[in-house]
Amino acid sequence: MRHEIVGAQVEVLRMYLEKQSSERLLEALDRLIECTRVSFREEEELMESFTSTPDTGHRDMHNAVLAQLGLLRRCAMESDRGRLLAQLIRVWLFQNAKKS
């Protein structure tokens, strides 16, 4: 699933750089959101299979990333390309900062 997420991230960035239509960008963002959601669900299920206690902090981090992706999608709908790029960078930085 990690390859799917990276591919979806690259596709969103490509849509942005190529100044594709809002519809195409939204399709790419929807794919990214769905890939991320599936990956998080699989990760949480795997973690829960090793312990009887769910890691609520980790789940909260996942929910925060998904919320950031939702904001990113709303920015895309507003067609503010500069804000969209800033939000995209923020999501990636937030997600990577939480992993370390």
Side-chain angles (χ1 to χ4, degrees):
M1 188 42 85
R2 289 280 179 215
H3 295 294
E4 288 289 322
I5 291 175
V6 171
Q9 289 173 333
V10 169
E11 184 178 2
V12 168
L13 188 55
R14 187 172 58 81
M15 293 293 119
Y16 175 84
L17 291 173
E18 293 177 0
K19 298 182 180 178
Q20 296 290 325
S21 68
S22 294
E23 294 81 25
R24 295 211 46 211
L25 184 57
L26 286 175
E27 288 173 9
L29 283 168
D30 287 341
R31 177 176 170 237
L32 175 59
I33 291 167
E34 185 56 27
C35 287
T36 303
R37 184 175 284 118
V38 169
S39 175
F40 286 171
R41 185 174 54 241
E42 289 175 355
E43 181 180 306
E44 289 170 10
E45 288 172 359
L46 181 62
M47 289 173 69
E48 286 179 17
S49 72
F50 290 116
T51 180
S52 60
T53 308
D55 185 343
T56 56
H58 195 81
R59 181 173 289 138
D60 289 345
M61 183 272 302
H62 284 172
N63 290 335
V65 170
L66 289 169
Q68 291 292 319
L69 287 170
L71 286 172
L72 179 64
R73 190 180 192 287
R74 283 191 289 285
C75 287
M77 291 172 37
E78 295 169 1
S79 298
D80 181 345
R81 297 185 68 77
R83 185 172 178 200
L84 174 66
L85 181 59
Q87 188 66 25
L88 183 61
I89 292 168
R90 182 178 176 196
V91 169
W92 284 332
L93 290 174
F94 180 81
Q95 185 174 6
N96 290 323
K98 293 293 183 176
K99 288 180 182 178
S100 47

